[in-house]
Every structure is written in structure tokens, then in C-alpha cells.
Amino acid sequence: MDINETKIITKGMNSIMNTYSRFPLVLEKGEGCYVYDTGGKKYLDFVAGIAVNSLGHGNEKLVSAVASQAKDMIHVSNLYWTRPQITLAEKLTDHSIFDKAFFCNSGAEAVEGSLKLARKYASRHHPERFEIISMKDSFHGRTFGAVTATGQTKYQKGLSPLLPGVIHVTYNDIEALKAAAGEKTCAILLEPIQGEGGVHPADAEYLSQVRELCDAGDIVLIFDEIQCGVGRTGTFFAFEQYGISPDAAALAKGIAGGVPMGVILAKDNFAEAFSPGDHASTFGGNPLAAAAANVVLDELFDNGVLEHVKSSGAYLQGKLESLRAQMPEKISDVRGLGLMLGLELTGLAAPVIHKCIENGLLLVSAGPNVIRFVPPLIVSEAEIDQMTDILHDALL
Ligand SMILES: *Cc1c(COP(=O)(O)O)cnc(C)c1O
């Protein structure tokens, strides 16, 4: 680290609240799947803003759409209509089983809004219901509702009292869910692939049983696809690979390629639970963010990115499997779908990640023992090879 970088970091520590244990890097430029620090050192970026930079860094179409929209109009109130937002809502509903979209600015907001939608739906149709069931080891964000739904106590310490009426059950355990669900259950919230919790995919049989349970009881089924959605697994939604669908879904992270945006999607009978005044967001779906998201969706649906994720995801998985075969004493599992993969180590992930950074590779953990791979969706096989070589050496 050069002296300049140390100075910048010291200023940051003196002026920014201490909520992250950050790596000692100051990043200032990105190009494709690479980022550069202030000293000019180049890093292969397999973090991608934690599954955010779906088109990589400096994507020309994204940059020019954002620049041109910024010239026309960055923001206008949702008291008025704008074309970029309507175009985006149509793209999302045309390519999904959902009928309506609500736009916000982050994952936590999309979860928060989904929970409000579920309670509103219950208040109309089943006024005695208010309970929300979510999963142990889940992650849903940091606002009070979302952090209550999050099934990890480390995120909840010192915040009580949390939102009342939220129950956590073991993931992939249908009997636990059936035992918890009752007359007061209004919604079930889960990630089809738990991200933060360690990259754990749901079992197909489990998800179809959850769907049946919700159908039988008119319980709102909400999927948090904030990390696993937007093409990350090779289909636009991860749930498409399970042959069932939820009543509402939350998206964020990769949706606008790095411009902040969250989305709630719902079928009409659930979306109708919101009336004017029930929910709102000043910035939600503003023209700048919507213009960015329109580019991301066009790349996914019309320009081959979804197909690319299928092939590069399989390629990455193959490379990780062969690493595991070479180092069974270091690597205990490879999990995930598409370009959302996890490598479970027999030891801690942090020292390996630090070595990779020294050698020009950015990786992120998901819990103490799991290295998570969420590169830009445009990652090439050559870049996957380079990543695997650096990781291999770090594991030695
Ligand atoms: C990141 C994430 C969130 C929270 O998103 P923010 O934009 O940080 O609020 C919620 N759910 C899942 C599954 C996530 O991965």
C-alpha cells in the first residue's frame, strides 16, 4: 500500500461511520471484470460490488444510457409518469409471471415493501393474520423489518425490540415450516438460494411443497431474489429453474448494473393490496436508475447474457470442482447455480481472500468458511481460468 493510499484511508476512518471492516484498498477505476486502485494496481473482480455490476465496469451501453439520461433528466417525482420507468416495468412484467412492479432503491427496501404488501393483503382478505415466516441463516437487509426477517442473530444484536410477528424456521425443512404456519400466517419469505448465509440452494421438492402450503392457505409467498435474481443463475429469476413461482419477488443488486435500484414484482391480486398513499419512494424508479436498468435487461434478454451465464457458470463450477478434487483436505463443498457459487473450505475463508487480494484478485466470503463467486455476468472463460490459478496458489 502506498503512502497516498494510507492517507486517504485515514481520512475515511476519521469521517465515515465504522460499519464495515474494509480491506485497505482505495479503488478508483474499473474496466470489464477488472478494477484498479489508486496506485494503479489491477485486480480481477469476482465480487462485482457483491453481485451488483452485472455488466462489469465501464460497459459502454450502460455508461452512454446513463450519461444521456442524466442530460435529459435525472429525477422527477413519482407524482408524474416517465417513459424510462414505464418501459422498465413493461420489460419486467413481459418477461415474468408478474403483473405489476414497484420501484425503490435497495434490496432492504424491496423486502420491506414486500412485507408491507403481504400485511396489506392480509388486512383485506384475512384480517386476523399478521405473522411472517422467514428462514434461519437468511439475509434480507438492514432496515428494521428486513433485519427482523433476517435469520441471523449477529445482525440483530442491540436492536431490540424488533418487528413483532416474525418467526424463523429451518431452511429446506418442510415439516418445520408446516409446524410454524397457522391461522395467523400472512406470508412466507425466502431466498431460493441463500446468498449471505453461505450459498445454499433450496431443494426443488421443498420449494414445491412450500408453494402447495401457500396455495392451500392463501399465504403470500415472497421470494427474495435480490442476489440470485437478474440473470445471476442463468435464468432471469432463480425460481424459474424450480418450476414453481412465488406471488411476489424482490429484486435489487444487479438490476441497474450498479445504479441503486430495488423492485417489488407481484401478481395483480396481491399488487392490488396497495392503493395510492399506501407505499412510496421519492427516488424509486427515477429516470436515471430506470435508464440503467433498461440497458441491463436488454443485455440479458436480447443480447445473449443469460445464455452466457449458463455456459460460464457451468465452466466456473467445473473449475471449482476440479480444485476440490485436487485439494480435498482444503475444500469440502462446491455449491450454487450459474454465476452464484460457493466454495466451502475446511478452514477460514478470510486468510485465503487476503492472499488473493495481494495477488490481484477480489473475492468475498459468505460466512466464515465459504468463498462466494459472484463475478460480472459477462465474465470470460479466460478470466475464470485466471481467477482459478490465483485461488489455487492462495490455497496451497
Ligand atoms: C444484499 C441483499 C439484501 C439487501 O440489499 P441492500 O441493497 O443491501 O439493502 C437483501 N436480500 C438479499 C438476498 C441480499 O443478498
Side-chain angles (χ1 to χ4, degrees):
M1 199 174 25
D2 65 26
I3 185 83
N4 203 15
E5 211 162 12
T6 313
K7 270 192 194 155
I8 299 172
I9 291 171
T10 304
K11 287 186 189 194
M13 296 203 319
N14 289 335
S15 59
I16 295 171
M17 285 197 199
N18 189 22
T19 63
Y20 286 91
S21 30
R22 297 180 203 248
F23 295 102
L25 293 185
V26 185
L27 300 177
E28 64 183 10
K29 190 167 167 55
E31 203 174 19
C33 293
Y34 293 92
V35 293
Y36 298 83
D37 69 14
T38 47
K41 182 171 168 182
K42 185 176 180 178
Y43 302 86
L44 179 56
D45 184 8
F46 265 61
V47 179
I50 313 193
V52 167
N53 300 92
S54 34
L55 304 181
H57 301 275
N59 176 279
E60 270 177 35
K61 289 180 196 166
L62 183 61
V63 170
S64 72
V66 167
S68 118
Q69 185 59 52
K71 276 188 195 155
D72 286 344
M73 171 179 270
I74 292 178
H75 177 81
V76 69
S77 167
N78 280 313
L79 293 170
Y80 314 99
W81 298 98
T82 66
R83 282 199 282 196
Q85 187 182 117
I86 295 167
T87 304
L88 176 59
E90 280 187 331
K91 276 182 192 156
L92 288 165
T93 55
D94 286 353
H95 285 94
S96 74
I97 48 115
F98 301 110
D99 302 303
K100 295 281 174 7
F102 174 87
F103 296 104
C104 51
N105 315 287
S106 68
E109 281 177 64
V111 168
E112 203 72 32
S114 310
L115 298 180
K116 285 176 70 177
L117 183 69
R119 287 235 174 125
K120 281 276 183 185
Y121 178 84
S123 79
R124 283 196 183 184
H125 299 276
H126 311 283
E128 73 289 0
R129 297 186 184 180
F130 60 88
E131 270 175 9
I132 291 149
I133 303 178
S134 64
M135 302 297 142
K136 290 183 182 162
D137 299 321
S138 61
F139 183 80
H140 298 294
R142 305 298 197 131
T143 54
F144 263 105
V147 87
T148 305
T150 293
Q152 302 187 59
T153 49
K154 66 175 177 185
Y155 296 116
Q156 300 167 337
K157 266 186 297 179
L159 297 179
S160 59
L162 296 170
L163 182 72
V166 180
I167 298 168
H168 299 103
V169 300
T170 303
Y171 190 57
N172 274 332
D173 180 344
I174 193 66
E175 293 312 321
L177 186 60
K178 282 182 178 164
E183 284 165 9
K184 292 179 184 150
T185 309
C186 101
I188 294 172
L189 168 68
L190 64 86
E191 298 157 89
I193 305 176
Q194 289 189 334
E196 215 68 31
V199 192
H200 292 284
D203 299 333
E205 174 69 10
Y206 173 71
L207 280 197
S208 61
Q209 288 169 321
V210 175
R211 181 65 272 178
E212 277 168 28
L213 183 71
C214 290
D215 285 339
D218 195 26
I219 296 166
V220 185
L221 180 57
I222 306 165
F223 281 175
D224 178 343
E225 291 236 359
I226 289 163
Q227 190 163 158
C228 64
V230 196
R232 178 70 32 206
T233 66
T235 47
F236 187 73
F237 299 97
F239 69 71
E240 292 170 58
Q241 296 180 51
Y242 285 91
I244 54 115
S245 52
D247 304 309
L251 298 175
K253 291 211 160 83
I255 183 82
V259 180
M261 171 173 272
V263 189
I264 306 168
L265 290 165
K267 295 185 191 172
D268 262 333
N269 52 326
F270 299 98
E272 278 165 8
F274 276 160
S275 308
D278 284 346
H279 198 46
S281 169
T282 296
F283 294 116
N286 84 9
L288 190 79
N294 279 320
V295 174
V296 171
L297 296 194
D298 289 348
E299 291 302 289
L300 287 175
F301 293 128
D302 305 330
N303 294 325
V305 173
L306 284 180
E307 288 69 32
H308 177 80
V309 173
K310 288 192 187 103
S311 61
S312 54
Y315 186 77
L316 174 58
Q317 187 153 17
K319 296 290 280 191
L320 297 177
E321 292 288 1
S322 66
L323 263 191
R324 183 192 181 189
Q326 284 170 49
M327 304 178 161
E329 74 294 349
K330 300 259 169 80
I331 300 171
S332 51
D333 198 13
V334 176
R335 302 187 283 267
L337 277 178
L339 288 174
M340 180 172 177
L341 297 173
L343 190 74
E344 187 166 306
L345 305 180
T346 52
L348 292 174
V352 179
I353 290 174
H354 276 99
K355 260 193 216 163
C356 289
I357 291 180
E358 277 170 33
N359 295 325
L361 167 65
L362 303 186
L363 287 171
V364 62
S365 61
N369 306 103
V370 178
I371 299 181
R372 179 169 28 160
F373 303 85
V374 284
L377 303 182
I378 53 149
V379 69
S380 70
E381 293 190 357
E383 287 156 348
I384 292 171
D385 289 343
Q386 190 195 352
M387 184 285 293
T388 315
D389 289 345
I390 299 174
L391 177 61
H392 171 270
D393 292 350
L395 281 165
L396 286 177

